DNA sequence: GCCAACGTTGGC
DNA sequence: GCCAACGTTGGC
């Protein structure tokens, strides 16, 4: 199974709302690289939920409960896709962007390399390390 | 609020 | 098909 990271501006859609709604369609991705990542997601894959802009930290974990389908928030016939994600659990301690940046083992992360990419892959190693950091912090 | 990075658009 | 101009995102 694969791991991912999805970004949301908490002003637009926050982790709290994700938890409250439980399952939520992840729509509005308008970038082809991000779209390709959405299409690679499979049922049961997990993703970090990251708050961009205000917060700038990973706050929780979601699971993919529906694979890519036409994004209902985009025009009919447009290529954009959405997936449905379900809140799994919050991180005991959010891991901030600042912390990840100074962690040598994470310097190759898609999140850090392509700061504007809203849906990116996370490697097994990165996934485990960040979970550990969230626990120990 | 500024600016860097990057995607997209449009003139040629 | 190239590239400059412009818009958007997101960190600071």
């Amino acid at each position: 199974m694969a791991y991912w990271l999805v970004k949301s501006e908490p002003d637009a859609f926050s982790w709290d709302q994700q938890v409250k709604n439980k399952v939520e369609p992840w729509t509005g991705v308008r970038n082809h690289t991000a779209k390709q990542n959405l299409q690679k997601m499979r049922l049961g894959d997990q993703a970090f939920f990251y708050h961009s802009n205000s917060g700038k930290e990973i706050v929780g974990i979601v699971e993919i409960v529906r694979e890519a389908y036409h994004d209902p928030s985009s025009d009919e016939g447009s290529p954009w896709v959405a997936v449905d994600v379900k809140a799994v659990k919050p991180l005991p301690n959010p891991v901030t962007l600042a912390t990840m940046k100074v962690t040598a083992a994470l310097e190759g992360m898609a999140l850090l390399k392509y700061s504007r990419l809203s849906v990116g892959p996370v490697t097994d190693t990165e996934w485990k390390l960040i979970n550990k950091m969230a626990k120990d912090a």
Side-chain angles (χ1 to χ4, degrees):
Chain A
M1 102 153 140
Y3 299 110
W4 309 93
L5 181 142
V6 294
K7 281 193 208 177
S8 181
E9 295 196 27
D11 291 343
F13 183 72
S14 71
W15 171 250
D16 285 347
Q17 288 169 271
Q18 176 72 51
V19 169
K20 210 169 97 192
N21 297 357
K22 295 198 180 71
V23 173
E24 183 70 19
W26 199 268
T27 62
V29 170
R30 296 293 181 272
N31 170 288
H32 289 284
T33 308
K35 185 198 74 175
Q36 283 165 22
N37 288 325
L38 286 177
Q39 286 172 329
K40 283 187 243 165
M41 291 179 175
R42 293 294 170 258
L43 287 180
D45 282 0
Q46 296 197 325
F48 286 130
F49 191 109
Y50 174 82
H51 275 170
S52 64
N53 240 316
S54 71
K56 283 169 290 180
E57 57 191 11
I58 297 172
V59 288
I61 292 174
V62 294
E63 181 182 326
I64 311 306
V65 294
R66 182 176 174 193
E67 294 182 9
Y69 58 98
H70 178 258
D71 182 346
S73 76
S74 69
D75 291 337
E76 196 69 28
S78 70
W80 305 116
V81 297
V83 296
D84 286 358
V85 298
K86 182 181 74 175
V88 174
K89 60 175 180 185
L91 294 192
N93 296 286
V95 177
T96 66
L97 181 66
T99 305
M100 292 188 273
K101 277 178 116 167
V102 297
T103 303
L106 296 179
E107 69 183 3
M109 265 190 93
L111 173 70
L112 303 179
K113 271 164 75 181
Y114 312 100
S115 65
R116 291 185 49 209
L117 185 63
S118 60
V119 180
V122 173
T123 67
D124 285 9
T125 314
E126 290 160 356
W127 181 267
K128 278 183 202 138
L129 180 59
I130 290 168
N131 271 291
K132 184 172 183 301
M133 289 163 67
K135 217 180 290 174
D136 294 346

